[in-house]
Amino acid sequence: MINSTDMAKLYFTGIKHSGKTTQARLAAALLSLPYSDSDELILSTIEEESVREFYKKHGKASFMEKEAEAVMKFTEEHPSFILSLGGGVADNTPLMDYMKKHGKIIYLQRKESEMLPVILKHGIPAFLDPNDLEGSFHKVYEERDSIYRNMADLSVDLGPYRDKAETAEELVRKLKENGYV
């Protein structure tokens, strides 16, 4: 159990567009912890203009290697932090195992029925089949949700989208109740 923010290494995970980045940033501010995002860490180590571009050009395996390298380096360089990760980190088993050993995995949950419309507002991601959006999303959601639930030290149901600041305060309360900060 972590009793000091000097030792808090918190990895915020969840389905794409579940609110990981927003909630990680707000929780880090409330707790005076350093914050970062795995996509930003990866971006600082590649030549492409975006992580999507890197993924399309080099493939999933290369992306997951870069993701693991960036997160591990960040973890080793920071005694405490809140780090938001991409929704696909569930597929990166070596990185998930590393995070489990070197901090606390916080799964920010949203209901499947709430997620697809939010994701599609930003375009169709590469992991969805354009010919079967609902079916392919259901499959991905079930697979990743199962992994996140099994790996998480704490699962927090964020409920329907609502006031972000109130949600962050509730999240911080749960982190404190569980002794993670």
Side-chain angles (χ1 to χ4, degrees):
M1 189 181 290
I2 298 170
N3 292 315
S4 166
T5 53
D6 291 336
M7 297 172 33
K9 293 186 178 203
L10 305 174
Y11 302 99
F12 281 28
T13 62
I15 305 298
K16 182 178 185 66
H17 293 299
S18 60
K20 301 176 301 289
T21 300
T22 299
Q23 291 305 310
R25 187 177 291 122
L26 291 171
L30 288 169
L31 294 166
S32 299
L33 286 172
Y35 158 79
S36 194
D37 177 272
S38 63
D39 284 351
E40 293 171 7
L41 297 175
I42 296 165
L43 198 53
S44 71
T45 67
I46 61 177
E47 294 183 13
E48 285 76 12
E49 290 185 27
S50 72
V51 291
R52 273 190 182 189
E53 183 182 319
F54 180 88
Y55 188 99
K56 286 179 184 177
K57 186 174 180 181
H58 300 282
K60 184 176 183 176
S62 292
F63 177 82
M64 288 193 308
E65 284 179 31
K66 284 288 184 190
E67 179 181 46
E69 288 170 11
V71 170
M72 289 175 186
K73 183 176 188 248
F74 181 82
T75 298
E76 291 166 8
E77 292 175 349
H78 295 83
S80 63
F81 57 81
I82 294 180
L83 179 64
S84 61
L85 291 113
V89 73
D91 298 338
N92 195 336
T93 303
L95 180 53
M96 290 293 291
D97 290 341
Y98 175 87
M99 293 185 318
K100 187 74 173 172
K101 291 177 187 168
H102 293 91
K104 299 295 180 187
I105 297 174
I106 312 302
Y107 174 33
L108 303 183
Q109 298 172 256
R110 298 254 190 219
K111 290 182 181 170
E112 180 180 353
S113 60
E114 297 171 355
M115 297 306 307
L116 185 57
V118 174
I119 290 170
L120 294 178
K121 284 181 187 175
H122 304 276
I124 300 172
F127 65 86
L128 292 182
D129 177 353
N131 298 315
D132 183 17
L133 292 173
E134 289 182 9
S136 61
F137 178 68
H138 175 71
K139 183 178 183 216
V140 168
Y141 182 93
E142 279 197 333
E143 290 170 358
R144 291 180 179 176
D145 178 67
S146 176
I147 293 166
Y148 287 137
R149 285 179 188 273
N150 288 328
M151 294 294 288
D153 295 288
L154 176 65
S155 294
V156 179
D157 184 349
L158 297 181
Y161 290 89
R162 59 187 199 271
D163 183 82
K164 294 172 184 175
E166 286 179 19
T167 302
E169 289 172 8
E170 180 182 322
L171 177 57
V172 166
R173 269 194 306 279
K174 290 180 181 187
L175 291 171
K176 288 179 178 181
E177 284 171 7
N178 285 277
Y180 297 151
V181 291

